[in-house]
Amino acid sequence: KLAVTVYPDQQTASKKVAARIADVIRGKQASGEKAVLGLATGVTPIRVYNELVRLHKEEGLSFKNVITFNLDEYYPMKPDAAQSYVTFMYENLFSHIDIEKANVHIPDGTLAADDVAEWCLNYEKQIEALGGLDLQILGIGRTGHIGFNEPGSAPNSGTRLVTLDDLTRADAARDFGGKANVPTKAITMGVGTIFKAREIILMAWSKKKAPIIKKAIEGEISGEVPATYLQLSDNVEFVLDEDAASDL
Ligand code: GLP
């Protein structure tokens, strides 16, 4: 049975998620190990990152033993572009904490087309070599995508180049000053990559996400809504605010 936790608002929920991330980091620190985290972009995790920055600045949470792998990046995309997930991650988290730059991994939007497949395999290998992801956080797109695993993604898919759905590009249009400027492709961890994480937390806030949250949690498991695959895993928790949970 899928674990679903509903909080009154996203601020409260974000603090709880940040506290769980901090627990993983501190637990690993205590035993002299690295914490391997899968991170997400988008509006949804911003307050979680704000809270992690606060925990670093005010409560001495260190990220020296943390290794991160981001879910996805637009393709093509220059890392220093305003819309890149590299820019997003540094602005919202990495620039404000003591993580080592070498421990940050984000899919490379500058690869030559011929190099993408090998790069993606290597991303998987790097995660595996570290013993896998301890915790993966996720948002959800209105198509039901996790990472950029759009409808049609296979449950065992790995990191790869994908074509973005029309609705996903429309939702991103504001960031790019028009849908025409939104890349048509992205590099994303696969559903299978995400599934290997020891713990997965999918977050969603606001009424806008209520219909897709209903489908993800109560709908038939199908590649048409990739987030429904999460119903098959017993280490997933959906963390919602009341608005996102309002159709359940
Ligand atoms: C983006 C990201 C996803 C994210 C989703 C929702 O396209 N690739 O990882 O979960 O869309 O975004 P938001 O949190 O802004 O609603």
Side-chain angles (χ1 to χ4, degrees):
K1 189 75 189 80
L2 209 49
V4 180
T5 311
V6 182
Y7 291 99
D9 54 75
Q10 67 154 292
Q11 185 62 18
T12 313
S14 299
K15 283 194 168 206
K16 294 281 182 192
V17 172
R20 283 175 58 183
I21 296 171
D23 278 349
V24 171
I25 296 171
R26 291 195 180 109
K28 291 283 177 180
Q29 244 157 25
S31 52
E33 291 173 287
K34 305 278 185 204
V36 187
L37 304 178
L39 299 182
T41 50
V43 176
T44 306
I46 287 180
R47 289 189 182 185
V48 174
Y49 297 150
N50 290 344
E51 175 65 6
L52 288 174
V53 171
R54 194 193 67 76
L55 290 172
H56 170 67
K57 294 198 164 148
E58 294 176 15
E59 296 182 26
L61 178 68
S62 172
F63 291 78
K64 288 269 185 223
N65 72 320
V66 175
I67 303 182
T68 63
F69 289 87
N70 261 81
L71 279 169
D72 49 15
E73 177 62 284
Y74 292 105
Y75 182 88
M77 178 56 68
K78 293 204 172 80
D80 58 358
Q83 303 89 350
S84 84
Y85 286 167
V86 173
T87 298
F88 175 96
M89 288 307 302
Y90 277 88
E91 279 184 357
N92 288 289
L93 184 62
F94 298 145
S95 295
H96 313 289
I97 58 175
D98 61 344
I99 194 164
E100 311 267 353
K101 211 169 179 183
N103 287 338
V104 168
H105 305 84
I106 302 176
D108 183 353
T110 69
L111 295 164
D114 283 352
D115 296 335
V116 172
E118 195 188 334
W119 188 96
C120 288
L121 269 182
N122 193 44
Y123 205 62
E124 299 274 337
K125 282 186 193 156
Q126 288 181 79
I127 296 172
E128 266 166 48
L130 291 162
L133 299 167
D134 292 304
L135 172 63
Q136 173 69 57
I137 64 167
L138 299 173
I140 184 169
R142 285 197 300 151
T143 59
H145 69 220
I146 48 176
F148 270 135
N149 291 282
E150 296 285 20
S153 296
N156 60 353
S157 50
T159 302
R160 67 202 189 288
L161 186 66
V162 295
T163 299
L164 296 175
D165 212 84
D166 218 52
L167 179 59
T168 300
R169 293 183 61 237
D171 280 347
R174 207 188 32 179
D175 293 340
F176 286 84
K179 190 174 149 200
N181 303 326
V182 181
T184 57
K185 292 185 185 296
I187 296 174
T188 185
M189 279 187 199
V191 178
T193 324
I194 293 167
F195 253 71
K196 285 184 218 153
R198 274 183 281 284
E199 200 183 341
I200 301 169
I201 299 176
L202 186 148
M203 299 176 283
W205 331 128
S206 86
K207 286 261 186 218
K208 192 177 137 191
K209 296 290 172 74
I212 194 62
I213 281 296
K214 182 180 172 62
K215 278 192 197 169
I217 294 175
E218 297 176 358
E220 188 190 329
I221 299 169
S222 145
E224 284 311 297
V225 182
T228 59
Y229 290 136
L230 296 172
Q231 294 176 28
L232 297 166
S233 169
D234 48 18
N235 46 14
V236 176
E237 182 177 349
F238 279 70
V239 173
L240 311 173
D241 70 355
E242 278 173 8
D243 284 342
S246 56
D247 286 359
L248 297 176

